[in-house]
Amino acid sequence: MNRNVLLNLLLAALTGMADSIWSGTLLVAFLSEVTNRSNTKVGLVTALQGATQLVTALPAGWAADRYPRSRIIAFGGIGLLLSISATSYAVISSCCESARVTFVLLCLGLALFGFSGGVINGPAQALLADSIPTGFREVYYNYLFMCYMLGGVVGPLLSIVLFTHWQGYSGSHADSDSDANAWPMGDLRIVILVGLALEVPCGALMFLFRDDRSLGKESEGLLGAAEGVDALAGKSSNGRNEMADASAEQGVSESDRCPQESDEVEEVRLKQDDHGGDSDEENEEWRKELVGMTGFGGLLTTQHVPYITFSADLLISLASGMTIKFFPLFFKDDCNMSAAEVQTIYLIVPVSMALCSTIGTKVSGYIGRVQACGILRAMGLSCFGMMLVLYNRSANSWLIVLCYVLRTAFMNSTYPLEESILMDYVPKQQRARWKSLESVSQFGWCGSAALGGYLADRHGYTFTFIVTICMQASATCVYMSLITIVSKKRPSDFKSKIDAEDVSGKQSNSEPSDSDRASAASGGDGGDRVGLMNVSGTALRHDRMMA
């Protein structure tokens, strides 16, 4: 497997494990206790983290498209190690400092996390896309998603064990004079520090990425390929691949290239075969059809795909940010669930998300990626609405939890499909910038958390949830406009067409001689048979990729 892909998968698993322990439910509960259960202040901390990420992500994306991406990622790794230290100090000092000082220190530590995330996210995701052949990214993004989600099982599982030991599963071990479902600060500190310690290996991995291990034209975006981009033609001064046009302008011929460079090109092609890459003819036919698609009478073209994706993602982020940080508090305060019970929910959620993402990726092969995203989101919104109906009718808390789990699984399982669409339609030399634009969505997500906290304090969680449903439904409608310009077909769909043309071409262009007829009559190998054997070889490569 490609080095950069393997590092991203390992990083996703470790990050999912560490984040699930400290940065989700427990951090929100810790902040709630520090701020005397102020939803507004919890939202402000999240907004500060998002603002810091926004400020750093855009320059980092710009730099990663001009300089080696691995260097930018390594710089972000230094920031991650500093943020771990600062946040750990804030958590440790909370036992002896005032709540106000602790709140300020936590703001500083989480702001540093926003800084490191802004620097790392765009370059790392762009380097991952550069290392995967175009047309097969949804498979690898599903692997990435599953690594993060399944790694996220560790945190809730550990928390369930610890909180059950300290309090009993339903809070039955708590003192009778106190709130039975209170989450003790001392216990929260221990678990959060364990999660922060697991972030350290993630910082170390940031120094291992390599730009020279990315692919060439096999990973070029559809729009870049349409403009004649060929990343195998040479190396730029910063170690990244150049356009073929630049080499042509300089008068560099294939024979003039150094043997080492030719070997690298051949190695890239072998890597594509190992990944199950289809033939050049299949990819070319696929690219030609996709880049020529238009929608709404020509108002939309394939060049609008990144902009529509970004707009829908921004709206989704604004909607989700209003509520996502407050779901744990909703289950804790409104549904009267203990710490262990809430963590059980977040033990089930990542597993269900990984399962739904795998099913969604498989289904997209039959109905199309955009269509699959639309169905999954519609199902998620329906479950969200049912959750509110059950809550207002005072239904059993675990029925409400079931709707929440299904809602979260359906709404978030579209990530592999959405990410593959974006990276398929963005030129290689712009990928880091587009990925860094996600920081705008992240800021919107975090900024709306402050608004969500205010609304929750004034009108309750239910009102905030209703606003979220309306905004997410609008974002889904925007995203579904991609149906007109994103094809349902994949490169393998052109296999039978190309193979049929090859076979018919052989039949029409070669009139068999008498000796050929005799050989065929006696069972000898003919030209058509050799062609079919080559077709089988291509099919085996594709099947190996999909296995």
Side-chain angles (χ1 to χ4, degrees), residues 220-221 223-224 227 229 423 425-431 434:
E220 179 57 67
L223 298 183
E227 296 168 359
V229 177
M423 288 303 173
Y425 284 84
V426 172
K428 288 182 67 172
Q429 67 273 20
Q430 298 179 8
R431 281 178 181 153
W434 277 104

Side-chain angles (χ1 to χ4, degrees), residues 32-170:
S32 180
E33 295 297 329
V34 169
T35 60
N36 196 23
R37 300 192 178 187
S38 171
N39 291 318
T40 302
K41 288 185 177 180
V42 173
L44 286 174
V45 174
T46 308
L48 177 62
Q49 183 178 356
T52 310
Q53 183 168 341
L54 173 65
V55 171
T56 57
L58 296 178
W62 177 87
D65 282 333
R66 287 163 173 77
Y67 304 100
R69 288 171 178 164
S70 56
R71 294 182 185 176
I72 309 299
I73 297 172
F75 179 72
I78 297 174
L80 178 59
L81 295 175
L82 291 175
S83 63
I84 294 169
S85 302
T87 306
S88 298
Y89 177 78
V91 173
I92 294 172
S93 64
S94 64
C95 61
C96 55
E97 297 286 354
S98 65
R100 182 176 181 180
V101 173
T102 300
F103 179 74
V104 172
L105 291 175
L106 285 172
C107 288
L108 175 61
L110 294 176
L112 286 173
F113 265 105
F115 168 83
S116 60
V119 173
I120 294 168
N121 183 53
Q125 289 293 307
L127 192 55
L128 172 64
D130 291 349
S131 305
I132 301 175
T134 297
F136 300 104
R137 291 195 177 94
E138 65 270 23
V139 177
Y140 286 93
Y141 280 122
N142 185 48
Y143 294 157
L144 187 75
F145 187 75
M146 290 180 64
C147 285
Y148 185 83
M149 289 296 105
L150 295 180
V153 170
V154 176
L157 183 60
L158 175 62
S159 299
I160 290 171
V161 173
L162 294 177
F163 281 118
T164 300
H165 174 70
W166 289 325
Q167 296 179 285
Y169 185 74
S170 299

Side-chain angles (χ1 to χ4, degrees), residues 165-328:
H165 174 70
W166 289 325
Q167 296 179 285
Y169 185 74
S170 299
S172 58
H173 294 175
D175 295 335
S176 57
D177 296 335
S178 62
D179 183 1
N181 288 331
W183 295 17
M185 288 289 287
D187 299 341
L188 287 173
R189 288 190 196 98
I190 294 174
V191 182
I192 290 174
L193 289 173
V194 170
L196 286 169
L198 290 176
E199 294 279 7
V200 175
C202 300
L205 287 178
M206 302 300 175
F207 299 92
L208 302 180
F209 286 90
R210 294 275 298 275
D211 286 81
D212 58 1
R213 295 300 179 90
S214 62
L215 302 183
K217 73 174 184 179
E218 291 88 348
S219 63
E220 179 57 67
L222 296 172
L223 298 183
E227 296 168 359
V229 177
D230 186 352
L232 293 174
K235 298 283 185 177
S236 62
S237 59
N238 60 16
R240 303 278 314 283
N241 291 335
E242 286 185 335
M243 305 291 202
D245 293 343
S247 296
E249 291 175 359
Q250 295 171 3
V252 180
S253 65
E254 187 70 29
S255 58
D256 293 333
R257 296 176 186 166
C258 62
Q260 180 182 359
E261 184 175 342
S262 299
D263 293 341
E264 290 178 357
V265 173
E266 183 62 26
E267 181 181 355
V268 166
R269 297 190 182 279
L270 291 175
K271 286 180 182 178
Q272 185 186 16
D273 289 343
D274 291 339
H275 286 297
D278 289 306
S279 64
D280 292 340
E281 292 85 359
E282 293 167 27
N283 283 320
E284 191 64 28
E285 289 291 329
W286 178 61
R287 293 175 190 271
K288 285 180 180 178
E289 176 165 321
L290 267 60
V291 297
M293 295 183 65
T294 60
F296 296 100
L299 294 178
L300 293 181
T301 66
T302 52
Q303 293 181 342
H304 296 121
V305 170
Y307 299 96
I308 295 173
T309 302
F310 170 73
S311 300
D313 183 57
L314 177 60
L315 193 53
I316 282 282
S317 298
L318 289 171
S320 299
M322 295 179 64
T323 55
I324 195 67
K325 285 291 185 183
F326 304 105
F327 275 122

